[in-house]
């Protein structure tokens, strides 16, 4: 019988602020193989736009700390336990992206793959976490928990997306289990909770006409004063009939 070893993978980002320019930078970057944070230099906050599209000059033009979170192993396997923490000081800005779809491979001997993301955001800070979709392959098991603790006045944009699997292998939501829990606290008060769980049941065979046809689904969390323009844009898009058709 095949065996797997539990492997704990850790990563941490602490975002601070330059006392002179007010720009954001990482005063601590830590990760264990195969996780890695790749920094993008000279990323700056551009001019803001009002709800009617007019530009508002940003005289300070502060630098934003931006990172790509990547894994050199090609994906997650049974036994992987990924723990990531991201902490932002007051009035800082951080954007985290990935360089491609996160792959979760087949479960071995009933083993699970887990990821935990925790973040503490100081007042006036902004975290934008926009990874590419997670692709859970056939017979895979993926458990994820995300906790965001915002001080009053902090903002965050969190994207959590999943794809149906490998189209080339005719996979259509063939994972054994996808479980994701998102908690958003503001001043220790729980304001948003999502507990999503998808499980396949080999004893139940759905007819082709009733199978899920969507190839991707997910959740977008937008909250805080610094996301006001984005809120207005999404609200305007949601009023368009073509938005629902798409």
């Amino acid at each position: 019988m095949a065996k797997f070893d539990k492997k704990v993978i850790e990563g941490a980002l602490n975002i601070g602020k330059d006392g002179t320019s007010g720009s954001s930078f990482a005063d601590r970057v830590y990760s264990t193989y195969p996780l890695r944070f790749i920094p993008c230099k000279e990323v700056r906050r551009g001019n803001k736009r009002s709800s009617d599209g007019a530009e508002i000059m940003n005289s300070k033009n502060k630098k934003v700390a931006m990172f790509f979170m990547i894994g050199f192993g090609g994906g997650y396997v049974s036994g992987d336990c990924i723990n990531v923490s991201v902490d932002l000081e007051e009035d800082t800005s951080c954007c985290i992206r990935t360089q491609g779809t996160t792959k979760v491979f087949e479960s071995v001997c009933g083993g699970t793959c887990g990821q935990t993301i925790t973040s503490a955001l100081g007042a006036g800070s902004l975290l934008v976490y926009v990874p590419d979709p997670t692709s859970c392959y056939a017979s895979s098991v993926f458990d994820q928990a995300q906790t965001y603790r915002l001080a009053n006045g902090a903002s965050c944009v969190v994207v959590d997306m999943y794809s149906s699997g490998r189209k080339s292998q005719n996979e259509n939501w063939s994972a054994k289990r996808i479980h994701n829990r998102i908690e958003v606290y503001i001043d220790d008060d729980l304001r948003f909770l999502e507990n999503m769980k998808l499980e396949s049941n080999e004893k139940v065979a759905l007819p082709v006409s009733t199978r899920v046809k969507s190839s991707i689904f997910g959740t977008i969390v937008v909250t805080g004063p610094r996301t006001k323009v984005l809120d207005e844009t999404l609200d305007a898009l949601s009023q368009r009939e073509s938005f629902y058709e798409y």
Side-chain angles (χ1 to χ4, degrees):
M1 179 179 293
K3 295 182 179 180
F4 66 90
D5 297 321
K6 183 176 180 180
K7 181 177 179 62
V8 177
I9 303 167
E10 297 183 337
L13 282 176
N14 289 355
I15 308 300
K17 182 175 63 174
D18 182 271
T20 303
S21 67
S23 295
S24 301
F25 70 99
D27 55 19
R28 180 172 184 254
V29 181
Y30 171 79
S31 63
T32 59
Y33 185 84
L35 182 67
R36 181 81 179 273
F37 292 105
I38 306 296
C40 297
K41 296 183 179 180
E42 299 302 325
V43 178
R44 297 181 179 274
R45 291 167 57 182
N47 294 335
K48 300 180 181 179
R49 289 185 178 274
S50 63
S51 57
D52 60 1
E55 280 196 349
I56 302 174
M57 294 301 294
N58 181 5
S59 58
K60 294 184 179 180
N61 199 23
K62 298 176 182 177
K63 184 178 177 182
V64 175
M66 181 173 176
F67 290 85
F68 281 89
M69 186 171 70
I70 66 174
F72 288 115
Y76 296 156
V77 299
S78 294
D80 282 353
C81 183
I82 303 94
N83 300 319
V84 176
S85 65
V86 181
D87 296 333
L88 278 67
E89 294 183 5
E90 293 184 2
D91 300 318
T92 58
S93 305
C94 179
C95 177
I96 300 176
R97 302 180 62 190
T98 57
Q99 288 186 312
T101 299
T102 299
K103 304 170 182 64
V104 181
F105 293 100
E106 177 183 359
S107 173
V108 177
C109 300
T112 65
C113 168
Q115 178 167 273
T116 300
I117 300 174
T118 59
S119 181
L121 283 68
S125 65
L126 169 65
L127 171 65
V128 178
Y129 177 49
V130 284
D132 289 281
T134 299
S135 181
C136 298
Y137 290 178
S139 301
S140 63
V141 178
F142 182 61
D143 294 323
Q144 180 172 238
Q146 304 180 61
T147 303
Y148 302 91
R149 295 186 177 275
L150 284 66
N152 189 31
S155 306
C156 73
V157 177
V158 176
V159 175
D160 187 70
M161 296 286 184
Y162 298 88
S163 67
S164 58
R166 293 169 290 187
K167 291 294 185 182
S168 61
Q169 302 295 323
N170 295 319
E171 294 179 356
N172 184 36
W173 304 111
S174 304
K176 286 184 178 179
R177 183 176 75 240
I178 304 174
H179 183 203
N180 182 59
R181 182 182 178 91
I182 302 177
E183 297 178 351
V184 178
Y185 294 83
I186 300 179
D187 279 347
D188 295 324
D189 183 18
L190 181 62
R191 298 293 184 89
F192 177 82
L193 169 64
E194 179 189 66
N195 193 32
M196 180 274 294
K197 191 173 186 180
L198 297 178
E199 282 188 293
S200 61
N201 189 338
E202 297 177 355
K203 297 180 180 179
V204 179
L206 295 176
V208 175
S209 60
T210 59
R211 289 179 183 172
V212 176
K213 297 179 181 179
S214 299
S215 60
I216 190 170
F217 79 95
T219 301
I220 301 175
V221 179
V222 179
T223 185
R226 291 180 62 182
T227 66
K228 184 177 180 181
V229 173
L230 180 57
D231 283 337
E232 294 171 350
T233 302
L234 291 174
D235 184 61
L237 285 173
S238 68
Q239 305 303 316
R240 297 168 56 182
E241 185 177 351
S242 59
F243 181 83
Y244 291 98
E245 291 175 354
Y246 177 77

